[in-house]
């Protein structure tokens, strides 16, 4: 459960009735699902993981672990900040009600009927395999998102293995501390120096837990872009679906025009069971043919309007989607650069602390 303070509205006549709100993770999932379906051309920010993944073995993978719950809370807060800073999503009324209404916002979501806009998985699968003229830019973007997800997954696995080994190295320094302490008990002149050196080793060994917990926050920044890869693919899939609908509409229109021409001229260009039946059981009367032609002409006119509308919709989608993708790319480059620099600085700081521990130990040994 997440608690956050509602944002004060600057608009006249609008006030926030409560100081804070409680939201469950499932409510965040509902909000994001609504945004993804309502704004198909936008790379909607992802939610943090519900259960810990890519963790070093000593870290609890329990989703109720206090440290993990706190990191997830930070991730959910980051999700809200991402949406609030987006030029389009920030203006959504459902998002505003999520931030300001204690109750009733779920009903508002359901009243939008956004679930009806969701495309079926079968249709999405058909679009993937049957689109004849895919947009090269979206095809390349889909491949890029797959590769980005693969690279970051591998990076997180490597990082977890390094963390495991680092944990072992640090904890073994505790053995130095114990041995130096035991040794100091049997030495008179050297005793104080050995005991002091052992103390430095004990502090060093104990510091690894906090260090790796802090490191998890940098891992979470990488995980955000691991999940962003799926958000990119979602935009590509939506474009595939639109292209699929467009091509199916064009195919249906071509078929109807052919049927109309065949009825008007009395010639059949392609074999069909219907054509064979006409030959076996007699031709249609002129009146019947005229009636069918009239129906087809109406359907053709309607189909042409629909095709024109779908072409315009497709062009608008591509224009809006590509503008948002460019915005996302700029954000991604900035964020990942900052995260990797911060991670490197942390590693440098950690190594400096290790050098300092051994420098302190050296001084202890020198005084013996």
């Amino acid at each position: 459960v997440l608690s956050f303070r509602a944002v004060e509205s600057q608009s006249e006549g609008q006030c926030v009735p409560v100081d804070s709100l409680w939201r469950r993770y499932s409510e965040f999932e509902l909000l994001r699902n609504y945004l993804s379906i309502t704004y198909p051309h936008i790379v909607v920010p992802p939610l943090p993981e519900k259960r810990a993944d890519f963790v070093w073995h000593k870290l609890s993978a329990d989703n109720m672990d206090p440290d993990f719950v706190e990191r997830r809370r930070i991730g959910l807060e980051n999700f809200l900040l991402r949406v609030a800073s987006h030029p389009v999503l920030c203006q959504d009324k459902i998002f505003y009600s999520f931030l300001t209404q204690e109750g009733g916002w779920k009903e508002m979501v359901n009243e939008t009927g956004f679930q009806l806009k969701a495309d079926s998985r079968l249709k999405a699968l058909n679009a993937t395999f049957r689109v004849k003229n895919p947009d090269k830019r979206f095809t390349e973007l889909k491949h890029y998102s797959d590769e980005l997800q693969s690279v970051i997954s591998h990076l997180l696995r490597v990082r977890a293995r390094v963390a495991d080994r680092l944990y072992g190295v640090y904890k073994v320094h505790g053995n130095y501390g114990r041995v130096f302490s035991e040794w100091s008990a049997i030495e008179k002149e050297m005793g104080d120096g050995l005991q002091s050196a052992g103390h430095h080793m004990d502090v060093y060994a104990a510091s690894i837990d906090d260090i790796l917990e802090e490191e998890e926050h940098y891992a979470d920044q990488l995980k955000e872009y691991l999940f962003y890869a799926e958000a990119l693919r979602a935009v590509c899939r939506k474009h595939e679906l639109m292209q699929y609908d467009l091509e199916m509409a064009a195919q249906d229109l071509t078929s109807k025009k052919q049927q109309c021409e065949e009825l008007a001229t009395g010639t059949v260009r392609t074999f069909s069971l219907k054509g064979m039946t006409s030959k076996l059981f007699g031709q249609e009367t002129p009146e019947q043919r005229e009636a069918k032609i009239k129906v087809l002409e109406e359907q053709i006119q309607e189909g042409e309007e629909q095709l024109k509308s779908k072409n315009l919709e497709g062009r608008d989608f591509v224009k809006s989607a590509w503008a948002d993708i460019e915005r996302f790319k700029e954000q991604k480059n900035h964020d990942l650069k900052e995260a990797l620099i911060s991670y490197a600085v942390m590693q440098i700081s950690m190594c400096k602390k290790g050098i300092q521990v051994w420098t302190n130990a050296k001084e202890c040994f020198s005084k013996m």
Side-chain angles (χ1 to χ4, degrees), residues 181-205:
S181 180
E182 290 172 354
W183 192 1
S184 70
I186 62 171
E187 299 287 353
K188 292 184 179 179
E189 291 81 3
M190 295 168 56
D192 289 345
L194 288 169
Q195 190 169 33
S196 296
H199 172 71
H200 288 300
M201 296 300 166
D202 287 337
V203 171
Y204 185 62

Side-chain angles (χ1 to χ4, degrees), residues 210-276:
D210 290 337
I211 289 171
L212 290 183
E213 180 58 44
E214 182 185 346
E215 197 179 282
E216 284 298 317
H217 290 287
Y218 296 116
D220 287 341
Q221 291 176 338
L222 292 176
K223 286 180 184 179
E224 182 186 19
Y225 280 90
L226 179 73
F227 305 139
Y228 253 125
E230 174 55 32
L232 270 180
R233 280 198 295 273
V235 175
C236 294
R237 280 197 302 271
K238 179 56 70 173
H239 180 263
E240 275 183 346
L241 282 164
M242 294 188 75
Q243 184 65 22
Y244 176 72
D245 285 341
L246 179 66
E247 290 180 4
M248 290 299 102
Q251 185 177 314
D252 184 58
L253 181 59
T254 301
S255 176
K256 282 186 169 56
K257 284 181 177 179
Q258 184 177 318
Q259 289 177 45
C260 190
E261 185 183 343
E262 289 172 353
L263 284 168
T265 61
T267 58
V268 179
R269 291 184 180 180
T270 56
F271 171 80
S272 69
L273 183 60
K274 187 176 180 181
M276 182 61 72

Side-chain angles (χ1 to χ4, degrees), residues 5-270:
R5 188 167 295 278
V7 179
E8 293 284 347
S9 173
Q10 299 300 319
S11 305
E12 292 184 10
Q14 289 183 323
C15 59
V16 179
V18 290
D19 291 330
S20 63
L21 297 171
W22 288 87
R23 296 291 186 225
R24 301 190 66 84
Y25 188 91
S26 58
E27 293 180 83
F28 280 86
E29 288 180 312
L30 177 61
L31 173 64
R32 188 182 184 278
N33 193 27
Y34 159 78
L35 293 174
S36 298
I37 293 172
T38 307
Y39 303 95
H41 60 282
I42 287 176
V43 185
V44 178
L47 294 173
E49 58 191 347
K50 194 170 185 177
R51 290 176 175 78
D53 200 2
F54 299 106
V55 297
W56 47 287
H57 78 279
K58 291 290 183 182
L59 188 70
S60 173
D62 180 10
N63 65 323
M64 297 307 291
D65 177 74
D67 291 328
F68 172 70
V69 169
E70 174 59 16
R71 289 201 314 277
R72 188 173 63 186
R73 186 198 65 77
I74 292 171
L76 291 170
E77 186 177 276
N78 182 62
F79 164 76
L80 293 177
L81 291 173
R82 292 283 196 202
V83 176
S85 63
H86 193 282
V88 175
L89 299 181
C90 70
Q91 300 178 49
D92 186 85
K93 292 181 180 179
I94 296 298
F95 174 59
Y96 180 77
S97 68
F98 180 88
L99 294 176
T100 58
Q101 285 189 215
E102 185 72 50
W105 85 271
K106 283 187 181 180
E107 288 73 17
M108 285 182 65
V109 176
N110 293 327
E111 284 170 8
T112 65
F114 77 97
Q115 295 96 335
L116 299 174
K117 300 177 185 176
D119 295 292
S120 70
R121 290 185 179 181
L122 181 60
K123 186 178 179 183
L125 192 64
N126 281 338
T128 301
F129 291 104
R130 295 177 62 182
V131 168
K132 295 176 182 177
N133 299 301
D135 188 310
K136 186 178 179 182
R137 291 180 301 173
F138 284 93
T139 302
E140 289 175 352
L141 183 65
K142 188 162 71 168
H143 290 157
Y144 167 77
S145 64
D146 290 339
E147 290 171 358
L148 177 66
Q149 190 171 45
S150 175
V151 167
I152 294 181
S153 295
H154 186 60
L155 183 63
L156 288 166
R157 281 193 291 270
V158 171
R159 178 256 159 195
R161 289 200 298 271
V162 170
D164 279 332
R165 294 183 183 183
L166 200 62
Y167 183 85
V169 169
Y170 267 69
K171 288 302 182 183
V172 166
H173 277 70
N175 293 342
Y176 277 129
R178 188 178 66 255
V179 171
F180 287 149
S181 180
E182 290 172 354
W183 192 1
S184 70
I186 62 171
E187 299 287 353
K188 292 184 179 179
E189 291 81 3
M190 295 168 56
D192 289 345
L194 288 169
Q195 190 169 33
S196 296
H199 172 71
H200 288 300
M201 296 300 166
D202 287 337
V203 171
Y204 185 62
S207 68
I208 190 60
D209 297 289
D210 290 337
I211 289 171
L212 290 183
E213 180 58 44
E214 182 185 346
E215 197 179 282
E216 284 298 317
H217 290 287
Y218 296 116
D220 287 341
Q221 291 176 338
L222 292 176
K223 286 180 184 179
E224 182 186 19
Y225 280 90
L226 179 73
F227 305 139
Y228 253 125
E230 174 55 32
L232 270 180
R233 280 198 295 273
V235 175
C236 294
R237 280 197 302 271
K238 179 56 70 173
H239 180 263
E240 275 183 346
L241 282 164
M242 294 188 75
Q243 184 65 22
Y244 176 72
D245 285 341
L246 179 66
E247 290 180 4
M248 290 299 102
Q251 185 177 314
D252 184 58
L253 181 59
T254 301
S255 176
K256 282 186 169 56
K257 284 181 177 179
Q258 184 177 318
Q259 289 177 45
C260 190
E261 185 183 343
E262 289 172 353
L263 284 168
T265 61
T267 58
V268 179
R269 291 184 180 180
T270 56

